[in-house]
Amino acid sequence: MDDQAPKKQPPSAETPGAGANGLAPSAKVSVPATTGAEAHDAAPTAHQAAGAAHDSVAQPPPRDDRPRLRPLDAFPVDNPNTADRGAPKLLTLRDPSGLAQGSVTLPPMGVAVIDLCDGTRTRDEIRGEFQQRYGSPLSREALDALLKRLDDALLLDSAAFRNHAASTFADFARSPVRPAHFAGTSYPKDPEALRQVLDGCFAPPNGPGLPAAHGHRQPDAPDAPVAIIAPHVDFTRGGPAYAWAYRPLLEARAMPDLIILLGTDHAAPDPSFTLLRKHFDTPLGPIQTDLALCDELLEAAKALSPKLPEQLLRDEHHHRGEHSLEFQAVWLRHVLSHRDDGAQPKILPILCGSFHEFVGGGKDRPATPQNGKSNGPALPFLALLCEHIDARRAAGQSILYLCAADLAHVGPRYGDRDPLSPSDCNSLEQRDRATLRPVCAGDADGWFRELYREKDRRRVCGLSPIYTMLKIKPEGPGTLRCYGQCQAEGGSIVSIASVIF
């Protein structure tokens, strides 16, 4: 790219944003910042992180002469030129869908160029618009080199990306199992090393300790919880909170027969529910999906609306690179390996799409998922799901609702201008705990209203699965067992909690 500085400053990676008790006592966790492969938990809300293939396919076919950037996760990073303290931040682009494995970091000039890559301009028109905006020429060679770099990284909506996506999805569709996508990157692939990591999460002072009788059930052991909220952040940062969430299953007299597994769909920009008709593979062994229940639900959905079964499976490929449910499958398998009763519960994996349009759209009155019209026939699925779960319960099966949900995503990593100070972190904790009061009370609409009131300022990515779980689980209060704040790049924070019902 030309070295001459433009007259108008191109956009930097910094974006303006918000600067930033009453519950039962809970553990509090302080954990290190994320690095490397653990940084995949990037996008707090799906509207910011939409990378799903169907979003691209719904658009016109890609044209090489009119480059179009895919929906990506973008976040600022410090300039490595430490000699210049005034150096502007850089912008890192990453694909939240996991189809593109790498990332690309751009200087402000590159950020200015990709702002023009929306599929409406030819390459020459991009150069002309750049000249008009910034008063500086953009050579064809520099533009071509930048676009090739992005296309090689599969970050452009191009023929190369669509061919790659089609091949990847075809392989996933043929597989009878959902592979352990993050094994070897976010957590160890070796079973023994993974067991050591997960057992270590129980260690005090942050962890709850392993129960003395784990692996051998006592006659007076408690029943399994009715519902659990666990994090879906990586194990390095959120390990103790996972341990607080899963310890009751180690202590329980018996494991549930069926686990309704609800997770955040980070790649879905709209309110939706997506089933998966595949078993989960983990380094510790498989977790079986209740395929019969999936088929029953799809058949019953057809009677409600001919479109509903297709809608429930349309984005099944989102499960392929989604970590929120994979991490729960790993923990469930670990719990089962500690028990001596041979329990083999089945799961019903459901990804919950974004509810951001209900809380962040600035509407005068809240359009809740209960009364909103934008989710079409998806909402009746919840009533259908409850009917079939009730039938399983009436037949003698025990049910657990397991929700994979993180809380706030704040700081420069997520679009705010400034890093969080210790005072900001304290304020965030107070706000998070206040928001969790209706959750622990089992009040789905109260939980929703809390986030609507602040227009999703904290970017709570667990909004949809928590709301869904509270709507479909049996009535009853929950107890906050653990609250934690996980550090992310640039002084940012992801907050998490473990709640037992």
Side-chain angles (χ1 to χ4, degrees), residues 91-122:
L91 189 75
T92 293
L93 304 176
R94 183 180 291 144
D95 178 9
S97 75
L99 287 167
Q101 294 295 317
S103 62
V104 170
T105 299
L106 300 176
M109 194 77 74
V111 177
V113 173
I114 64 171
D115 187 49
L116 303 173
C117 297
D118 59 2
T120 66
R121 300 177 180 86
T122 66

Side-chain angles (χ1 to χ4, degrees), residues 82-162:
T82 55
D84 181 4
R85 293 191 176 183
K89 287 183 175 291
L90 309 180
L91 189 75
T92 293
L93 304 176
R94 183 180 291 144
D95 178 9
S97 75
L99 287 167
Q101 294 295 317
S103 62
V104 170
T105 299
L106 300 176
M109 194 77 74
V111 177
V113 173
I114 64 171
D115 187 49
L116 303 173
C117 297
D118 59 2
T120 66
R121 300 177 180 86
T122 66
R123 298 188 178 215
D124 286 340
E125 287 170 344
I126 290 173
R127 294 175 59 217
E129 179 71 17
F130 187 92
Q131 172 84 44
Q132 182 177 353
R133 286 190 184 187
Y134 304 112
S136 177
L138 172 64
S139 71
R140 180 59 183 261
E141 292 77 13
L143 176 60
D144 288 347
L146 173 61
L147 293 175
K148 183 179 186 305
R149 183 183 173 201
L150 293 170
D151 200 22
D152 288 346
L154 299 174
L155 301 185
L156 290 183
D157 181 15
S158 65
F161 162 70
R162 295 199 181 194

